[in-house]
Amino acid sequence: MAKIAVFNQKGGVGKTTTSLNLSAALARRGRRPLSIDLDPQAHLSSICGTDVNSADDSILAFYEKARPLANLIRIGNGGWEVIPAHVELSKVDSVFGKGPAALNRLNSGIVRENLNTGRPIVIDCCPLLGVLSLNAIFACDRLIVPVSADYLAVKGVAQVDKTLKALELVLKKRLPRRFVITRFDSRRKMSWQIFDSIRERHGAEVCEARISESVSVAESPAVNRDVFSYSPSSRGAQEYDALAEELDASGFLA
């Protein structure tokens, strides 16, 4: 099954929200996802109710003490499995450097423990391009790039393109990817201009399903819920369900 990194070097684009609600949508489809939180802010862990007090119970222990990933899995309040992050995860960059062994560490762990057999893995990346994000990119076989419908987001996509092209020389392949437009407002001309601009450049890699700026999507993390459990009939739930359906139908999740 697919290993999906949710990645963008620009913050505030809905990366964690997309990781959360895509995982929830997959769980609703019986796909038994595993969410891996690779962001030291640990927002995904907190929302899922899997945040930990000790770094030894987080994915940092995998890097620092070679604890098996399977031993770090917790069941989130949405019913799917999560490997939590911790604020001390931020020291991974300075401790482990950027050698090949460090960059392939997560991938090696997933393969060694056979964690993605029969289920997708969704990796929530931090916005900085460092060891953690590179671990996610080296481990994944698919990329989802959330792009908020604002002017600076277009520049952010150009930066993501530049980064991925540089990494392709190392990976020796081009990772399949999908761009997901978030914070979309159909009433605003700029939202459509941004959508059309990115679609003109990236074609079928841009998802038709768009995520609106909605109350349900904004409020659900505040009460540690995904949008489906918080407001199942809301527009936000319908849009994330449509996104999962589109990705599934296209074979992106296989």
Side-chain angles (χ1 to χ4, degrees):
M1 296 294 289
K3 295 173 288 181
I4 304 165
V6 182
F7 171 74
N8 195 323
Q9 290 162 263
K10 184 180 183 298
V13 296
K15 177 183 56 60
T16 296
T17 303
T18 297
S19 299
L20 168 72
N21 290 313
L22 177 59
S23 296
L26 293 174
R28 282 164 51 86
R29 284 170 160 72
R31 304 294 284 273
R32 302 185 306 107
L34 169 64
S35 297
I36 300 178
D37 192 350
L38 272 190
D39 190 338
Q41 296 179 94
H43 290 325
L44 179 65
S45 304
S46 178
I47 297 167
C48 290
T50 57
D51 46 333
V52 292
N53 294 323
S54 171
D56 288 345
D57 295 321
S58 77
I59 197 168
L60 178 62
F62 165 75
Y63 289 98
E64 198 169 48
K65 300 184 178 180
R67 281 191 64 183
L69 291 167
N71 289 355
L72 301 169
I73 291 175
R74 294 179 167 229
I75 303 299
N77 49 27
W80 70 88
E81 295 183 333
V82 180
I83 298 179
H86 189 275
V87 65
E88 289 189 30
L89 192 59
S90 60
K91 69 184 184 182
V92 165
D93 278 60
S94 59
V95 172
F96 295 103
K98 294 185 179 179
L103 299 185
N104 276 299
R105 198 156 186 170
L106 180 61
N107 184 52
S108 297
I110 290 172
V111 171
R112 182 172 59 250
E113 298 182 45
N114 210 21
L115 287 182
N116 72 311
T117 297
R119 66 173 173 187
I121 293 177
V122 179
I123 308 170
D124 187 30
C125 301
C126 63
L128 300 176
L129 186 64
V131 171
L132 293 172
S133 289
L134 289 171
N135 259 250
I137 292 171
F138 276 61
C140 77
D141 47 34
R142 305 281 192 275
L143 278 169
I144 287 180
V145 183
V147 182
S148 58
D150 61 69
Y151 172 71
L152 292 177
V154 178
K155 291 190 173 183
V157 170
Q159 183 60 49
V160 168
D161 267 349
K162 183 178 179 181
T163 296
L164 295 178
K165 283 179 181 177
L167 289 173
E168 284 167 15
L169 299 174
V170 182
L171 294 168
K172 295 182 171 53
K173 63 179 179 180
R174 187 181 191 278
L175 288 169
R177 65 207 59 169
R178 293 292 184 271
F179 296 87
V180 179
I181 308 301
T182 63
R183 297 182 175 173
F184 185 84
D185 187 342
S186 61
R187 300 167 300 179
R188 295 174 59 212
K189 184 178 179 180
M190 179 179 286
S191 288
W192 287 106
Q193 288 174 334
I194 289 168
F195 176 69
D196 291 339
S197 171
I198 296 174
R199 186 167 57 178
E200 182 178 349
R201 181 178 179 87
H202 295 283
E205 292 182 333
V206 181
C207 290
E208 286 296 327
R210 298 174 290 273
I211 309 302
S212 301
E213 188 87 74
S214 67
V215 172
S216 59
V217 171
E219 288 183 347
S220 55
V223 292
N224 296 338
R225 306 273 289 278
D226 61 81
V227 70
F228 298 100
S229 61
Y230 178 70
S231 184
S233 61
S234 66
R235 181 175 62 179
Q238 293 169 6
E239 289 173 344
Y240 271 110
D241 189 58
L243 173 62
E245 178 62 31
E246 180 179 345
L247 294 174
D248 204 7
S250 68
F252 190 78
L253 301 177

